[in-house]
PDB file of all heavy atoms in Angstrom:
ATOM      1  N   ALA A 278      89.026 100.921 108.132  1.00 98.00           N
ATOM      2  CA  ALA A 278      88.350 102.009 107.435  1.00 98.00           C
ATOM      3  C   ALA A 278      87.730 101.548 106.129  1.00 98.00           C
ATOM      4  O   ALA A 278      86.575 101.942 105.811  1.00 98.00           O
ATOM      5  CB  ALA A 278      89.352 103.186 107.186  1.00 98.00           C
ATOM      6  N   ALA A 279      88.440 100.738 105.364  1.00 98.00           N
ATOM      7  CA  ALA A 279      87.971 100.217 104.128  1.00 98.00           C
ATOM      8  C   ALA A 279      86.692  99.393 104.239  1.00 98.00           C
ATOM      9  O   ALA A 279      85.834  99.438 103.370  1.00 98.00           O
ATOM     10  CB  ALA A 279      89.040  99.434 103.398  1.00 98.00           C
ATOM     11  N   GLU A 280      86.576  98.600 105.361  1.00 98.00           N
ATOM     12  CA  GLU A 280      85.351  97.836 105.507  1.00 98.00           C
ATOM     13  C   GLU A 280      84.125  98.729 105.565  1.00 98.00           C
ATOM     14  O   GLU A 280      83.108  98.343 105.083  1.00 98.00           O
ATOM     15  CB  GLU A 280      85.536  97.010 106.836  1.00 98.00           C
ATOM     16  CG  GLU A 280      86.531  95.846 106.656  1.00 98.00           C
ATOM     17  CD  GLU A 280      86.791  95.096 107.994  1.00 98.00           C
ATOM     18  OE1 GLU A 280      86.651  95.764 109.049  1.00 98.00           O
ATOM     19  OE2 GLU A 280      87.143  93.937 107.889  1.00 98.00           O
ATOM     20  N   VAL A 281      84.298  99.894 106.146  1.00 98.00           N
ATOM     21  CA  VAL A 281      83.166 100.834 106.253  1.00 98.00           C
ATOM     22  C   VAL A 281      82.791 101.401 104.914  1.00 98.00           C
ATOM     23  O   VAL A 281      81.655 101.461 104.454  1.00 98.00           O
ATOM     24  CB  VAL A 281      83.457 101.926 107.256  1.00 98.00           C
ATOM     25  CG1 VAL A 281      82.345 103.037 107.266  1.00 98.00           C
ATOM     26  CG2 VAL A 281      83.574 101.387 108.636  1.00 98.00           C
ATOM     27  N   ILE A 282      83.906 101.805 104.196  1.00 98.00           N
ATOM     28  CA  ILE A 282      83.663 102.455 102.923  1.00 98.00           C
ATOM     29  C   ILE A 282      83.124 101.435 101.863  1.00 98.00           C
ATOM     30  O   ILE A 282      82.251 101.806 101.043  1.00 98.00           O
ATOM     31  CB  ILE A 282      85.085 102.988 102.345  1.00 98.00           C
ATOM     32  CG1 ILE A 282      85.600 104.052 103.270  1.00 98.00           C
ATOM     33  CG2 ILE A 282      84.894 103.491 100.858  1.00 98.00           C
ATOM     34  CD1 ILE A 282      84.722 105.314 103.439  1.00 98.00           C
ATOM     35  N   LEU A 283      83.552 100.178 101.861  1.00 98.00           N
ATOM     36  CA  LEU A 283      83.085  99.183 100.897  1.00 98.00           C
ATOM     37  C   LEU A 283      81.677  98.896 101.171  1.00 98.00           C
ATOM     38  O   LEU A 283      80.895  98.538 100.262  1.00 98.00           O
ATOM     39  CB  LEU A 283      83.981  97.969 101.034  1.00 98.00           C
ATOM     40  CG  LEU A 283      85.406  98.025 100.496  1.00 98.00           C
ATOM     41  CD1 LEU A 283      86.241  96.804 100.934  1.00 98.00           C
ATOM     42  CD2 LEU A 283      85.405  98.198  98.961  1.00 98.00           C
ATOM     43  N   LYS A 284      81.248  98.977 102.384  1.00 97.00           N
ATOM     44  CA  LYS A 284      79.838  98.693 102.757  1.00 97.00           C
ATOM     45  C   LYS A 284      78.864  99.843 102.325  1.00 97.00           C
ATOM     46  O   LYS A 284      77.861  99.569 101.793  1.00 97.00           O
ATOM     47  CB  LYS A 284      79.702  98.489 104.260  1.00 97.00           C
ATOM     48  CG  LYS A 284      78.325  98.197 104.725  1.00 97.00           C
ATOM     49  CD  LYS A 284      78.250  98.085 106.281  1.00 97.00           C
ATOM     50  CE  LYS A 284      76.829  97.773 106.742  1.00 97.00           C
ATOM     51  NZ  LYS A 284      76.788  97.603 108.199  1.00 97.00           N
ATOM     52  N   ASN A 285      79.444 100.999 102.353  1.00 96.00           N
ATOM     53  CA  ASN A 285      78.542 102.221 102.027  1.00 96.00           C
ATOM     54  C   ASN A 285      78.687 102.761 100.578  1.00 96.00           C
ATOM     55  O   ASN A 285      77.789 103.411 100.126  1.00 96.00           O
ATOM     56  CB  ASN A 285      78.922 103.372 103.027  1.00 96.00           C
ATOM     57  CG  ASN A 285      78.593 103.003 104.467  1.00 96.00           C
ATOM     58  OD1 ASN A 285      77.740 102.126 104.719  1.00 96.00           O
ATOM     59  ND2 ASN A 285      79.245 103.605 105.456  1.00 96.00           N
ATOM     60  N   GLU A 286      79.789 102.463  99.958  1.00 95.00           N
ATOM     61  CA  GLU A 286      80.076 103.044  98.605  1.00 95.00           C
ATOM     62  C   GLU A 286      80.192 101.895  97.662  1.00 95.00           C
ATOM     63  O   GLU A 286      81.076 101.000  97.806  1.00 95.00           O
ATOM     64  CB  GLU A 286      81.327 103.903  98.675  1.00 95.00           C
ATOM     65  CG  GLU A 286      81.308 105.033  99.694  1.00 95.00           C
ATOM     66  CD  GLU A 286      80.246 106.116  99.399  1.00 95.00           C
ATOM     67  OE1 GLU A 286      79.811 106.185  98.263  1.00 95.00           O
ATOM     68  OE2 GLU A 286      79.953 106.860 100.325  1.00 95.00           O
ATOM     69  N   LYS A 287      79.449 101.931  96.538  1.00 95.00           N
ATOM     70  CA  LYS A 287      79.387 100.787  95.612  1.00 95.00           C
ATOM     71  C   LYS A 287      80.409 101.004  94.461  1.00 95.00           C
ATOM     72  O   LYS A 287      80.647 100.038  93.703  1.00 95.00           O
ATOM     73  CB  LYS A 287      77.965 100.591  95.021  1.00 95.00           C
ATOM     74  CG  LYS A 287      76.839 100.469  96.114  1.00 95.00           C
ATOM     75  CD  LYS A 287      77.211  99.253  97.031  1.00 95.00           C
ATOM     76  CE  LYS A 287      76.146  99.069  98.080  1.00 95.00           C
ATOM     77  NZ  LYS A 287      76.452  97.981  99.005  1.00 95.00           N
ATOM     78  N   ASN A 288      81.039 102.109  94.268  1.00 95.00           N
ATOM     79  CA  ASN A 288      81.887 102.406  93.211  1.00 95.00           C
ATOM     80  C   ASN A 288      83.317 102.622  93.652  1.00 95.00           C
ATOM     81  O   ASN A 288      84.127 103.224  92.865  1.00 95.00           O
ATOM     82  CB  ASN A 288      81.358 103.488  92.378  1.00 95.00           C
ATOM     83  CG  ASN A 288      81.948 103.548  90.940  1.00 95.00           C
ATOM     84  OD1 ASN A 288      82.135 102.441  90.305  1.00 95.00           O
ATOM     85  ND2 ASN A 288      82.304 104.710  90.440  1.00 95.00           N
ATOM     86  N   VAL A 289      83.627 102.141  94.778  1.00 97.00           N
ATOM     87  CA  VAL A 289      84.952 102.376  95.386  1.00 97.00           C
ATOM     88  C   VAL A 289      85.703 101.066  95.433  1.00 97.00           C
ATOM     89  O   VAL A 289      85.134  99.985  95.893  1.00 97.00           O
ATOM     90  CB  VAL A 289      84.900 103.047  96.771  1.00 97.00           C
ATOM     91  CG1 VAL A 289      86.371 102.995  97.437  1.00 97.00           C
ATOM     92  CG2 VAL A 289      84.374 104.400  96.651  1.00 97.00           C
ATOM     93  N   PHE A 291      89.682  99.164  96.431  1.00 98.00           N
ATOM     94  CA  PHE A 291      91.068  99.339  97.047  1.00 98.00           C
ATOM     95  C   PHE A 291      91.956  98.365  96.353  1.00 98.00           C
ATOM     96  O   PHE A 291      91.781  97.142  96.275  1.00 98.00           O
ATOM     97  CB  PHE A 291      90.904  98.941  98.539  1.00 98.00           C
ATOM     98  CG  PHE A 291      90.131 100.050  99.403  1.00 98.00           C
ATOM     99  CD1 PHE A 291      88.764  99.953  99.475  1.00 98.00           C
ATOM    100  CD2 PHE A 291      90.863 101.106 100.028  1.00 98.00           C
ATOM    101  CE1 PHE A 291      88.057 101.004 100.158  1.00 98.00           C
ATOM    102  CE2 PHE A 291      90.169 102.004 100.707  1.00 98.00           C
ATOM    103  CZ  PHE A 291      88.791 101.979 100.785  1.00 98.00           C
ATOM    104  N   ILE A 303      91.042  91.895 103.730  1.00 96.00           N
ATOM    105  CA  ILE A 303      89.617  91.833 103.611  1.00 96.00           C
ATOM    106  C   ILE A 303      89.185  90.895 102.523  1.00 96.00           C
ATOM    107  O   ILE A 303      89.731  90.938 101.426  1.00 96.00           O
ATOM    108  CB  ILE A 303      89.033  93.265 103.345  1.00 96.00           C
ATOM    109  CG1 ILE A 303      89.360  94.227 104.436  1.00 96.00           C
ATOM    110  CG2 ILE A 303      87.455  93.165 103.092  1.00 96.00           C
ATOM    111  CD1 ILE A 303      88.921  95.690 104.173  1.00 96.00           C
ATOM    112  N   HIS A 305      86.765  90.624 100.036  1.00 97.00           N
ATOM    113  CA  HIS A 305      85.775  91.438  99.368  1.00 97.00           C
ATOM    114  C   HIS A 305      86.197  91.550  97.930  1.00 97.00           C
ATOM    115  O   HIS A 305      87.430  91.759  97.638  1.00 97.00           O
ATOM    116  CB  HIS A 305      85.614  92.759 100.043  1.00 97.00           C
ATOM    117  CG  HIS A 305      84.389  93.533  99.646  1.00 97.00           C
ATOM    118  ND1 HIS A 305      84.235  94.118  98.401  1.00 97.00           N
ATOM    119  CD2 HIS A 305      83.215  93.783 100.268  1.00 97.00           C
ATOM    120  CE1 HIS A 305      83.064  94.724  98.345  1.00 97.00           C
ATOM    121  NE2 HIS A 305      82.452  94.548  99.469  1.00 97.00           N
ATOM    122  N   ARG A 307      85.942  93.942  95.995  1.00 97.00           N
ATOM    123  CA  ARG A 307      86.525  95.354  95.680  1.00 97.00           C
ATOM    124  C   ARG A 307      87.694  95.697  96.515  1.00 97.00           C
ATOM    125  O   ARG A 307      88.119  96.763  96.498  1.00 97.00           O
ATOM    126  CB  ARG A 307      85.427  96.407  95.738  1.00 97.00           C
ATOM    127  CG  ARG A 307      84.403  96.325  94.590  1.00 97.00           C
ATOM    128  CD  ARG A 307      83.413  97.386  94.579  1.00 97.00           C
ATOM    129  NE  ARG A 307      82.257  97.102  95.577  1.00 97.00           N
ATOM    130  CZ  ARG A 307      82.009  97.905  96.571  1.00 97.00           C
ATOM    131  NH1 ARG A 307      82.740  99.001  96.792  1.00 97.00           N
ATOM    132  NH2 ARG A 307      80.985  97.587  97.403  1.00 97.00           N
TER     133      ARG A 307
END
Side-chain angles (χ1 to χ4, degrees):
E280 287 174 332
V281 175
I282 299 298
L283 290 169
K284 181 179 179 181
N285 297 333
E286 306 292 343
K287 303 305 180 185
N288 199 38
V289 171
F291 289 85
I303 298 173
H305 193 287
R307 287 184 281 119

